[in-house]
Amino acid sequence: MKPSAIDVDESTLDPSIEIETRPFPPYLPENATVMLMGTFPPKSEKRVMEFHYPNFQNDMWRVYGLVFFDDKDHFRKGEKKAFDPEKIKAFLSERGIASCPTVVRAIREKGNASDAFLKVVEPVHLDEVLATIPNCKHIATTGGKATEVLLGLLPEKVKLPKTGETISYNYKCHELTLTRLPSTSRAFPMSLINKASAYRAFFEMAGVI
């Protein structure tokens, strides 16, 4: 059976069920050679900025800080419990790193950001994204759900890679690699240092470091 990136058929849903649309667009520098792809941003009350991985409790930007600057607070706004989106964007543009959720529209079954209770209604339009960043050769997913969504876009069934594993990902006319990285959510049972090590290995493989 062909895999599917969609968890629920919108036409079968009760009209009272809330379907959320991602609150901000992908960040796609023209020079991007790699792209990190998560699932879906948290609700507005959990965001400290209107950009990717906006929850201060999520360690994504601490991981970036450790990998590239040996400083987990590099992207923090001083002593505030917030990150600096403009500093992050400038860095991503300089290094050629794109960031894009794998989900455009979704239902939160429990009202929180947990991937376990996120139902995909509309997945990413990956062909449109890749057309914007034609030099992208490497994709990394930040967790299992994002990996499942991307594999569900393929015409054939592909075994879910283990965390840290890289596979070939041939999507239409694009020959890419797909690396499954550990989630940067605090709920994922891995230390910040070990997460940073996994991300560093990916960026080294992709030639960004």
Side-chain angles (χ1 to χ4, degrees):
M1 181 182 295
K2 178 182 174 180
S4 175
I6 300 173
D7 292 325
V8 291
D9 181 351
E10 186 176 357
S11 66
T12 66
L13 293 174
D14 185 320
S16 66
I17 294 176
E18 180 184 10
I19 300 175
E20 293 184 50
T21 300
R22 66 185 181 202
F24 26 80
Y27 190 73
L28 306 173
E30 291 183 3
N31 63 332
T33 58
V34 304
M35 177 163 58
L36 265 68
M37 304 188 74
T39 47
F40 202 69
K43 285 183 170 289
S44 58
E45 59 266 25
K46 295 292 186 179
R47 300 179 211 145
V48 297
M49 61 179 179
E50 292 302 297
F51 193 64
H52 304 255
Y53 306 97
N55 189 333
F56 192 68
Q57 296 303 310
N58 189 293
D59 284 325
M60 178 58 75
W61 303 117
R62 295 181 185 89
V63 165
Y64 268 92
L66 284 172
V67 170
F68 291 96
F69 302 98
D70 197 27
D71 176 11
K72 68 180 178 65
D73 292 322
H74 181 80
F75 293 107
R76 186 172 175 174
K77 269 190 171 182
E79 297 300 315
K80 295 180 180 180
K81 290 186 176 181
F83 300 111
D84 187 336
E86 297 310 313
K87 189 173 185 178
I88 292 169
K89 292 175 188 177
F91 166 78
L92 295 178
S93 294
E94 177 188 349
R95 293 297 182 115
I97 302 171
S99 181
C100 178
T102 56
V103 179
V104 177
R105 293 192 303 145
I107 297 167
R108 301 182 202 268
E109 289 190 313
K110 300 291 185 180
N112 58 32
S114 172
D115 283 352
F117 303 106
L118 186 75
K119 296 300 181 183
V120 180
V121 176
E122 181 182 352
V124 63
H125 301 282
L126 190 58
D127 48 349
E128 296 177 9
V129 171
L130 292 173
T132 304
I133 47 173
N135 295 320
C136 182
K137 300 299 180 186
H138 306 283
I139 291 175
T141 50
T142 61
K145 181 69 173 183
T147 313
E148 291 173 2
V149 174
L150 285 190
L151 293 182
L153 298 176
L154 299 176
E156 71 281 356
K157 187 174 182 178
V158 178
K159 183 180 179 181
L160 188 73
K162 297 177 181 178
T163 301
E165 184 180 355
T166 298
I167 63 173
S168 296
Y169 186 82
N170 299 316
Y171 182 74
K172 297 185 178 179
C173 61
H174 303 277
E175 294 185 5
L176 307 159
T177 68
L178 174 63
T179 301
R180 177 181 172 182
L181 293 176
S183 169
T184 51
S185 166
R186 297 280 177 89
F188 189 79
M190 181 183 286
S191 71
L192 177 61
I193 294 300
N194 286 340
K195 289 180 183 181
S197 179
Y199 279 68
R200 182 179 291 107
F202 166 73
F203 285 119
E204 287 177 346
M205 179 275 293
V208 177
I209 297 177

